[in-house]
Amino acid sequence: RTIISLKKKMMSTSYLLAEVLPMSWMPYFPTYCDDMMDAFTAVPDPYDRVYENIPASTHMLAPKPDCKHCGAKRFQYEANGFCCRSGKVKLAHLEPPLELKMLYTSSDPNAVHFRDNIRYFNGHFSFTTLGVSLDNKYTNMKSGVYTFRAHGQIYHNIFSFGPTQDGPKHLELYFYDDDPGLQHRFQRSPNLDRDVIRRLVDILKDNPYSETFRNLGGVDDLEEYRIELNTDMRLDQRRYNVPISSEVAAIWVEDSELCKYFERSGCYDPLSYPLFFPRGEIGWHPEIPKKGVSLNEMLQSRRSGRQSLGSYTNSRLCVSVRDYYCYKFQMRRGVFNTMLYGKRLFQQYVVDMYIKVESSRLDYIKKHQEQIRADLYQGVVDSLQAGENRADEVGKRTIVPSSFIGGRRDRRRRYLDAMALVQKYGKPNIFLTMTCNPNWDEIISELEPGQTPRDRPDLIVRVFRAKLEDLKIQLFKRHIFGKVATYVYVVEFQKRGLPHAHFLLIMEGRYKLTCPEQYDCLISAELPDKSKYPELYKMVVKHMMHGPCGVLNPKNVCMQKGSCKNYYPRPFNVQ
């Protein structure tokens, strides 16, 4: 007798099909088995409904022409004025020295060492000291994706002159750069390549700040000297204009207090990031006029009181800090943008400049409390509602309105809006997550030779936003899940720096999901059939499964003290 067992998984129950066949049937056994298997496979798979209408190729963004005003690269769904306010902002292109450009692009060992340690080289040659509380778990990790993750405020200090026990450091190193031995720099940073240090010293000799400090190398009583930085730069950045040493700083011998902190304008960028501004080019300051604006118009506006010196407003005459860096971070054909080659230093610079943008908005709010009608937000009524009943505890505060993204009032407003939608339309039906894939073709195709996606956070977020906008069209206009009554979503960043979005969808009445069978038409929590859907199977295995880790891969990023922090591999659960 021959016993044939066929096991079929249907829902959560397993059925055993058995039949006893006589030995005389053996010649017909292959044909019988084929017929049985054909009948078995003819039963439709309940999960095939999920895999209907799978696209034949990966989604690609539609190409868009470059900006006709500034030549910047544009992605689908980006506004026309995203890069230059439709031609209102025009800044000079700063061409780096050829030697520095070779360090950013060459594949020789010295250039590779320079790019791999660019944050340390910038810190060595910086005129200021960086003060920041870093998350060392991700900033100095030995494996995985590097992420510059800061807590709290970032600030840059300028210390006074004079001998110390640790020897010269930061801008004091420039006092001795005329010494051909450069032992003061080698002793300060023994782990950095000496040939690269010599090349950078030669490159920065044309820097006006470097020239100013080198002239102090032979001065006696250096500890009595003080430095004053010229933060009120009037150079026109609409044309290529490099400052000279007499314009950027003045050294004097007076018994006055040193200003350690300086404003985030003018000299802030070249002092903190000399490898991005090797010739001392001036960064953003509030007096950069827009295209077509003359100096007389700015003076008349200042006299009339519509704009004051140092104003952080995005006026119709001057370039705001946000517009300035939107222009600077663009990709343009035939233009070498030094910042986009900075790898880890570029990440630090982006975070620092974002804090500058946030600080400028907060400064504007602080100086314009009357215009935002802060009296409606504070006073006795607010104090009583907060439970404050002591008059001496009621003081004048700076009110941050709900228009400031990320503020307390902004978060409360968004929460109440979401609760109001649930109260009117009912609880959400679908929780949808969209993640970013750094290997998207749109990202890989725009990388420069030798770059990886982690080196270009600007490119990652722009492509992700474009694909997010396309997903919203699929959900709310093409109704791939049915008609959506209302929705809320949030964009977050993973600990490794990649963005992702969470959607809560509330469907219209006839499209609401009310039973498990309806959810099974949209969601599959099983591996796709490898023979039917090979590409989908490959994607799920690659992107949606953990590991390998443990014994198979002891160096995986999840491994801590010899075991997986997520407790994989886990025992099989039959439920």
Side-chain angles (χ1 to χ4, degrees):
R1 293 177 178 270
T2 305
I3 298 178
I4 303 174
S5 299
L6 297 178
K7 186 178 180 182
K8 175 183 178 184
K9 182 176 180 182
M10 181 177 296
M11 305 301 288
S12 60
T13 307
S14 296
Y15 294 88
L16 184 63
L17 306 180
E19 185 170 354
V20 180
L21 302 179
M23 294 299 293
S24 59
W25 281 31
M26 288 303 295
Y28 309 100
F29 178 69
T31 305
Y32 179 82
C33 290
D34 293 341
D35 294 340
M36 288 291 294
M37 293 304 297
D38 291 341
F40 175 70
T41 55
V43 178
D45 188 345
Y47 293 103
D48 280 348
R49 179 73 179 274
V50 182
Y51 308 132
E52 288 182 352
N53 301 323
I54 294 180
S57 60
T58 306
H59 170 266
M60 294 288 293
L61 296 174
K64 288 290 181 180
D66 296 342
C67 176
K68 62 181 180 180
H69 302 286
C70 66
K73 166 73 177 179
R74 290 177 58 228
F75 290 99
Q76 191 178 8
Y77 304 114
E78 286 185 343
N80 292 330
F82 165 70
C83 50
C84 62
R85 292 285 183 181
S86 299
K88 294 181 181 179
V89 177
K90 184 172 179 60
L91 304 174
H93 166 58
L94 306 177
E95 184 69 24
L98 181 59
E99 188 72 14
L100 183 60
K101 188 175 180 179
M102 292 295 294
L103 288 175
Y104 277 115
T105 57
S106 177
S107 58
D108 67 79
N110 285 342
V112 173
H113 173 75
F114 167 76
R115 293 193 295 271
D116 291 342
N117 300 274
I118 189 169
R119 282 193 63 233
Y120 297 103
F121 278 107
N122 186 81
H124 178 84
F125 285 94
S126 176
F127 299 92
T128 64
T129 60
L130 173 65
V132 60
S133 176
L134 292 177
D135 189 341
N136 293 324
K137 184 177 180 181
Y138 299 99
T139 304
N140 297 321
M141 62 190 309
K142 296 181 181 180
S143 61
V145 180
Y146 171 85
T147 303
F148 185 86
R149 187 178 183 187
H151 299 289
Q153 185 179 8
I154 293 181
Y155 57 90
H156 299 266
N157 287 344
I158 298 180
F159 292 99
S160 57
F161 306 149
T164 60
Q165 295 180 352
D166 299 335
K169 54 185 177 181
H170 297 290
L171 63 83
E172 294 178 340
L173 294 172
Y174 287 93
F175 300 163
Y176 313 101
D177 274 355
D178 289 334
D179 180 9
L182 297 179
Q183 292 300 319
H184 58 291
R185 290 197 177 273
F186 301 154
Q187 294 174 2
R188 189 66 190 174
S189 301
N191 295 327
L192 299 180
D193 187 87
R194 295 192 175 189
D195 292 337
V196 178
I197 290 180
R198 292 183 185 277
R199 293 170 68 175
L200 292 176
V201 168
D202 294 337
I203 291 171
L204 294 176
K205 283 186 177 180
D206 294 333
N207 188 297
Y209 300 99
S210 172
E211 180 182 349
T212 299
F213 296 132
R214 288 202 316 272
N215 293 334
L216 296 177
V219 176
D220 298 329
D221 301 328
L222 194 59
E223 62 273 9
E224 299 181 2
Y225 280 70
R226 297 293 182 268
I227 180 173
E228 178 183 11
L229 298 173
N230 183 10
T231 60
D232 182 21
M233 292 299 173
R234 303 298 177 86
L235 295 179
D236 191 352
Q237 295 201 35
R238 294 173 296 184
R239 55 190 179 87
Y240 191 84
N241 204 342
V242 179
I244 59 177
S245 59
S246 61
E247 293 178 327
V248 300
I251 309 297
W252 80 100
V253 186
E254 292 182 4
D255 188 15
S256 60
E257 188 66 23
L258 171 67
C259 180
K260 290 186 178 181
Y261 300 92
F262 54 95
E263 292 291 333
R264 295 178 180 268
S265 59
C267 64
Y268 182 90
D269 291 357
L271 284 175
S272 304
Y273 300 94
L275 298 185
F276 285 162
F277 303 88
R279 295 190 176 97
E281 299 91 340
I282 302 166
W284 175 84
H285 61 87
E287 300 298 310
I288 302 177
K290 290 184 177 179
K291 184 178 180 180
V293 177
S294 64
L295 181 61
N296 291 332
E297 292 182 81
M298 294 178 58
L299 294 176
Q300 292 176 2
S301 176
R302 193 177 303 143
R303 293 192 193 101
S304 62
R306 287 179 293 179
Q307 181 181 356
S308 59
L309 183 64
S311 172
Y312 289 90
T313 60
N314 181 16
S315 70
R316 62 182 181 86
L317 300 179
C318 296
V319 178
S320 69
V321 57
R322 176 194 173 278
D323 292 342
Y324 180 89
Y325 290 107
C326 278
Y327 189 94
K328 286 290 186 179
F329 290 159
Q330 299 300 318
M331 301 176 290
R332 296 179 174 87
R333 300 179 186 275
V335 176
F336 184 84
N337 191 339
T338 308
M339 300 173 188
L340 301 184
Y341 289 80
K343 301 190 73 171
R344 296 188 174 187
L345 184 62
F346 178 54
Q347 289 196 27
Q348 174 184 325
Y349 184 72
V350 168
V351 173
D352 201 354
M353 297 308 106
Y354 174 78
I355 293 177
K356 181 190 290 189
V357 174
E358 290 282 86
S359 300
S360 68
R361 291 170 177 168
L362 291 173
D363 288 343
Y364 174 82
I365 292 172
K366 183 178 180 180
K367 296 176 182 179
H368 295 80
Q369 290 287 284
E370 294 183 359
Q371 285 84 342
I372 65 174
R373 305 179 71 179
D375 56 322
L376 300 180
Y377 293 94
Q378 67 173 350
V380 178
V381 176
D382 266 3
S383 300
L384 292 176
Q385 290 178 350
E388 186 60 63
N389 52 18
R390 293 180 54 187
D392 57 346
E393 295 293 334
V394 180
K396 183 174 179 57
R397 300 177 180 178
T398 299
I399 302 303
V400 179
S402 60
S403 59
F404 180 77
I405 305 299
R408 181 170 58 89
R409 287 183 174 83
D410 171 63
R411 295 197 301 269
R412 174 184 288 183
R413 176 179 61 84
R414 294 176 185 271
Y415 167 75
L416 293 176
D417 289 346
M419 292 300 101
L421 293 176
V422 173
Q423 185 178 17
K424 181 175 181 180
Y425 295 99
K427 63 182 181 181
N429 304 108
I430 297 177
F431 177 74
L432 177 67
T433 298
M434 174 185 173
T435 58
C436 177
N437 182 3
N439 293 319
W440 277 330
D441 292 339
E442 294 88 344
I443 297 177
I444 300 299
S445 61
E446 295 296 334
L447 295 176
E448 299 295 338
Q451 287 186 342
T452 60
R454 72 184 70 175
D455 301 328
R456 296 292 304 278
D458 61 314
L459 186 58
I460 288 177
V461 296
R462 290 178 64 182
V463 173
F464 175 80
R465 179 194 173 275
K467 288 185 175 287
L468 179 63
E469 292 298 320
D470 190 85
L471 175 64
K472 290 162 67 175
I473 293 176
Q474 300 282 344
L475 292 174
F476 311 130
K477 293 185 178 180
R478 299 180 183 175
H479 310 297
I480 59 175
F481 291 148
K483 292 187 177 180
V484 179
T486 187
Y487 67 95
V488 294
Y489 75 98
V490 61
V491 178
E492 300 173 345
F493 282 82
Q494 301 169 352
K495 293 180 179 179
R496 298 182 183 179
L498 295 177
H500 62 277
H502 298 300
F503 284 83
L504 286 175
L505 308 180
I506 303 178
M507 314 302 291
E508 291 187 2
R510 58 177 295 193
Y511 297 100
K512 288 183 178 294
L513 306 178
T514 58
C515 62
E517 289 75 17
Q518 292 178 334
Y519 280 98
D520 287 341
C521 294
L522 297 179
I523 302 170
S524 172
E526 295 187 351
L527 287 174
D529 191 317
K530 188 175 182 180
S531 59
K532 291 183 180 180
Y533 314 103
E535 291 296 327
L536 187 60
Y537 175 85
K538 187 186 303 183
M539 293 173 62
V540 172
V541 171
K542 180 179 180 180
H543 299 292
M544 302 183 67
M545 294 185 67
H546 181 78
C549 61
V551 180
L552 298 177
N553 188 10
K555 296 184 179 181
N556 197 37
V557 293
C558 66
M559 296 297 293
Q560 293 181 355
K561 298 181 180 180
S563 61
C564 175
K565 66 179 181 180
N566 298 314
Y567 308 106
Y568 286 103
R570 301 182 183 182
F572 177 74
N573 190 353
V574 296
Q575 298 293 332

